């Protein structure tokens, strides 16, 4: 029986992938799971044409899978009772528009449009990209930059 390119490449570099995952995750079981998840992600979705392409995609997706696993470990689950006791900071309604104006200082016109479409109109990045004739990656990049700028502005306001 002839093996496909992805399977043969995976079998060739599986131990290397496990070492990469171990370096990132520091846990044997998590590393094995990440390697398996990587293969499953590629198996069902992408048609691989060459051994080089398969190896590149396997390692690239493994890296992203490990990062996702690490991010998931740092997520804090809160109980409803904990949320109620955590308290909240309330801004009076009449000051809300002024507060939003202050946190948006320094954004470009394009970033302001993206901010409004994502936060006020609740559009997905794909919809924003279509509406503004951009790529989804450009929308993500602009959202990352505007979040960083908003965080800086909030720090200034709080001081």
């Amino acid at each position: 029986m002839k093996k496909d390119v992805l399977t043969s490449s995976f079998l060739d570099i599986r131990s290397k992938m496990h070492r990469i995952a171990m370096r990132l995750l520091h846990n044997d079981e998590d590393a094995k799971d990440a390697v398996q998840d990587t293969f499953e992600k590629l198996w069902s979705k992408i048609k691989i044409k060459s051994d080089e392409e398969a190896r590149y995609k396997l390692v690239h997706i493994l890296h992203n899978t490990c990062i996702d696993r690490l991010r998931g470990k740092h997520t804090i689950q809160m109980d409803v009772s904990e949320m109620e006791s955590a308290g909240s900071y309330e801004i009076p309604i009449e000051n809300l528009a002024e507060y939003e104006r202050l946190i948006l200082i320094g954004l470009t016109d394009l970033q302001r449009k993206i901010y409004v479409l994502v936060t006020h109109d609740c559009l997905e990045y794909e919809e924003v990209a279509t509406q503004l004739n951009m790529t989804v990656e450009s929308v993500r990049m602009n959202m990352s930059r505007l979040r960083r700028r908003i965080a800086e502005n909030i720090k200034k306001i709080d001081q």
Side-chain angles (χ1 to χ4, degrees):
M1 182 166 112
K2 183 183 172 196
K3 294 180 186 173
D4 66 299
V5 176
L6 177 63
T7 304
S8 63
S9 297
F10 174 74
L11 292 173
D12 288 345
I13 67 168
R14 181 172 39 190
S15 61
K16 178 183 177 181
M17 291 174 65
H18 184 261
R19 286 191 303 274
I20 292 169
M22 279 296 293
R23 257 195 322 256
L24 293 168
L25 299 173
H26 307 291
N27 180 316
D28 188 54
E29 288 301 313
D30 286 344
K32 288 177 182 175
D33 289 344
V35 170
Q36 187 63 36
D37 289 348
T38 299
F39 181 73
E40 289 176 10
K41 286 177 185 176
L42 279 174
W43 177 258
S44 61
K45 295 182 181 169
I46 299 174
K47 183 70 177 163
I48 306 291
K49 296 176 183 140
S50 70
D51 184 55
E52 183 179 307
E53 178 186 11
R55 289 170 186 261
Y56 171 79
K57 288 186 178 182
L58 283 164
V59 172
H60 183 77
I61 291 177
L62 173 67
H63 186 262
N64 290 342
T65 301
C66 290
I67 289 172
D68 289 344
R69 286 177 173 274
L70 289 170
R71 285 182 183 156
K73 287 183 180 179
H74 297 294
T75 303
I76 299 171
Q77 297 293 328
M78 289 185 73
D79 203 8
V80 175
S81 60
E82 292 173 341
M83 287 184 210
E84 292 169 359
S85 66
S88 63
Y89 179 75
E90 294 185 18
I91 301 171
I93 294 294
E94 61 272 2
N95 295 339
L96 193 58
E98 177 64 16
Y99 186 76
E100 185 175 40
R101 187 189 68 73
L102 290 173
I103 66 170
L104 297 179
I105 290 174
L107 296 181
T108 65
D109 289 337
L110 177 61
Q111 289 172 334
R112 287 177 191 271
K113 287 177 188 175
I114 293 171
Y115 173 83
V116 168
L117 291 171
V118 171
T119 58
H120 293 286
D121 298 344
C122 301
L123 296 180
E124 297 292 327
Y125 289 169
E126 293 80 13
E127 297 168 311
V128 173
T130 302
Q131 194 165 1
L132 297 177
N133 198 22
M134 301 172 65
T135 65
V136 175
E137 200 53 44
S138 295
V139 173
R140 287 184 202 283
M141 180 181 62
N142 276 289
M143 278 299 293
S144 175
R145 289 178 182 163
L146 74 89
R147 279 192 209 103
R148 192 174 328 123
R149 183 60 186 209
I150 288 172
E152 291 169 4
N153 289 344
I154 289 172
K155 284 181 185 176
K156 290 177 186 175
I157 292 168
D158 289 343
Q159 291 176 352

